[in-house]
Amino acid sequence: MEEVDIKVLFDIYKKMNLIRKFEQKAIQLYWEGINRGALHTYIGEEAVAVGVCSALRKGDYISSTHRGHGHCLAMNGDPNLMLAELLGKENGYCRGRGGSMHIADLDLGILGANGIVGGGIPMAVGAAMALDYQEKSNVVACFFGDGATSTGAFHEALNLASIWNLPILFICENNFYAISTCVTNAIAIQDLANRAKAYGMTSQIVDGNDAIQVYQETKKARDIAISGNGPVFLECKTYRTEGHWVADPQIYRDRKEVEEWRKKCPIEALKNKILQKDVSKKKLLESIEKEVEQIILQAEKFAKESPEPNPKDVQKFVLV
Amino acid sequence: MPIMTFAEALRNALYIEMKKDPKVILLGEDIGVLGNVFGVTKGFLDEFGCKRVRSTPISEAAITGAAIGAAMLGMHPVAEIMYVDFTTMAMDQIINQAAKMRYMSAGKVKVPMVLRTQGGAGSGEAAQHCQSLESLFIHVPGLKVVMPSNPYDAKGLLLSAIRDENPVIFIEHKLLYPIKGEVPEEEYTIPLGKAEIKKEGNDLTIVATSYMLQKVLNTLPVLDNEGIYPEVIDPRTLSPLDTETIFQSIQKTHHLLVVQESSAPASFAAELLAVVSENLFDYLDAPPRRLCGLSVPIPYNKKLEDASIPNEKDIINIIKDIL
Ligand SMILES: Cc1ncc(C[n+]2csc(CCOP(=O)(O)OP(=O)(O)O)c2C)c(N)n1
């Protein structure tokens, strides 16, 4: 496999750290009673979003899920605007209307997070259809969980994408649980990549805790998709090391299992890989970590100091 | 009498009926180990086993359809859709299948099933998790639609719903789950299609559904102080609607206010105002009114969310405006 440019690796490392710290801040603010609603964090799965999005090019799009903060940050989403949105502020991405599950930024290629499991998949196919029609050399990366592969929308969308050879990457984040439902109780096959075979689609199983592997496989998949060879399905096996939502009692899984996966932390793994190659990069990595901490503190300050929306404007934006 | 939360009362009803009737089975997402997101089916998997407590993948259409099919073969399934917002994934099964089987077969087929689901705003989960969609179901002939407002009613109505021979959509408001009230341990039923006068009065008739009924009750001390005595009615079943109880009340008070969380257009409140205008025009001393949620996707921000849903102050203001 070809070497990954060191600059790309540093950028990947930074974004993964950014996601981790962002989510930790969001959890802290949640317990302080500052943000509300559903908060699904991406802790433990950072390598998937960052690996995939780092392999995308300008003009590519992603569609996201209820667990969308990671995807957004990996697409260069602004942490200030994201945290402001989580706090329901007028300066947030959705001016406080959408909250955690509905952040979108078309300028950055983010078609939007989604509160409906499976809801984003058909829309991603539509976006790929538009790119194809407009003869753009671009793709859509469509993120969804293992749980979403049991929805009707998933199957209908995969079928369309494959009969029309659309430039779309189906990124399945198999974190083994859909809320309390273990994938083994929900799906009768072991590898979700096999779902793609039924639609005549190229597929690949990827170690979702290995950012470099995710990045390289996505690059390959992207090349296939833009050359008109139809959609590609990547099953990234990973794990959510926090609860489904912040206050999740997690009675459905063994603490030991969680601990085992914590040891496979994708951020630590990348750090070790970089240092194995060149131990002198330690300082640089540490400075990245510090920089990220500053970004998050700044985002917190921005979010807290941002104004609330005016209730008089509650019915703005319903229609164009 | 024991005190139970709304969630415990529902659990109690399901438990009683599961014990008593082997035809009753449950299916839905995360109802097994987790015992559903609100703990309503906690412990059921251990007690009744995985053939009767079927925790499903994220497949709302299949959950609903499976319940329909089992009901056609004489079972009494209680299917659960985690949020009413997700019933939209199952609309073919609910509207084209469950609701029409009986009529299309000229009475040969029965679909005795309950679809339990949870809705309403107040949790800050925004536009796709906080809707009030009961009016969609009221619109469809062949369904019964139930919305309890307190623990006692929740238990009695759920037992009736399970025993009913028709498809019943049973909608629980998410803010009601922790609310406590007196609930007898033993079984009892509350008939579907029967409203209840929660408080008698002569000045105006207030019909309020689900969590809004709680809000209306909260305003009573203030109204009392001002010498305003409304008659408060909980329809409990929205379809078929007990117009008799409501009409009698209006003939006494000559005023009507309907309070609902859902937005106004083509809604329960719209329908009730229409039938009252058609039938009781001469009895009314003022135009019948409704207080509804705004026509807006439920916003995330708390202040915006609050602004989109009627509150106690709004209720008091509109009552004063009417009288
Ligand atoms: C259609 C629909 N059904 C149910 C839910 C409730 N729900 C939210 S997240 C979730 C689990 C999703 O699992 P998965 O797709 O594997 O993603 P993960 O949460 O593991 O990232 C469920 C059932 C929903 N949001 N939408």
Side-chain angles (χ1 to χ4, degrees), chain A residues 193-207:
Chain A
N194 285 334
R195 294 265 208 236
K197 287 192 184 147
Y199 296 102
M201 203 182 282
T202 314
S203 65
Q204 181 69 40
I205 295 171
V206 183
D207 177 353

Side-chain angles (χ1 to χ4, degrees), chain A residues 17 19-29 41 43:
Chain A
N17 271 283
I19 295 170
R20 177 70 56 95
K21 297 263 155 60
F22 181 92
E23 298 293 44
Q24 286 168 343
K25 179 58 73 184
I27 292 173
Q28 178 207 324
L29 294 174
T41 74
I43 292 176

Side-chain angles (χ1 to χ4, degrees), chain A residues 98-114:
Chain A
S100 162
M101 284 191 286
H102 305 290
I103 295 175
D105 186 341
L106 269 283
D107 295 333
L108 293 177
I110 303 165
L111 294 169
N114 211 307

Side-chain angles (χ1 to χ4, degrees), chain A residues 242-306:
Chain A
E242 297 296 313
H244 173 76
W245 71 98
V246 184
D248 182 354
Q250 299 185 57
I251 49 175
Y252 49 84
R253 63 184 186 183
D254 194 345
R255 287 236 61 89
K256 273 202 224 111
E257 180 185 287
V258 183
E259 287 315 317
E260 282 308 307
W261 276 94
R262 284 223 169 100
K263 285 186 204 145
K264 295 187 231 171
C265 169
I267 300 179
E268 286 300 309
L270 180 61
K271 187 174 187 173
N272 290 338
K273 260 196 196 145
I274 295 173
L275 293 181
Q276 261 165 27
K277 256 196 236 150
D278 183 354
V279 74
S280 75
K281 293 287 188 284
K282 191 156 189 257
K283 274 231 158 65
L284 199 69
L285 293 183
E286 281 168 6
S287 74
I288 290 175
E289 290 158 22
K290 290 229 168 66
E291 189 193 340
V292 163
E293 267 162 38
Q294 285 311 311
I295 294 172
I296 296 299
L297 284 178
Q298 164 59 30
E300 180 179 9
K301 188 163 167 329
F302 176 86
K304 284 184 170 165
E305 288 172 0
S306 291

Side-chain angles (χ1 to χ4, degrees), chain A residues 40 45 66-67 115-117 144-148 151 173 175 177-179 240 244, chain B residues 29-30 58 60 82-83 86 89 129:
Chain A
H40 308 113
E45 306 182 43
H66 58 286
R67 196 177 301 290
I116 302 300
V117 171
F144 51 87
D146 45 283
T151 66
E173 307 180 305
N175 62 13
Y177 289 90
I179 307 189
R240 110 174 115 63
H244 173 76
Chain B
E29 292 157 26
D30 301 288
I58 307 169
E60 284 80 9
M82 197 184 287
Y83 285 70
F86 315 153
M89 256 62 64
H129 283 73

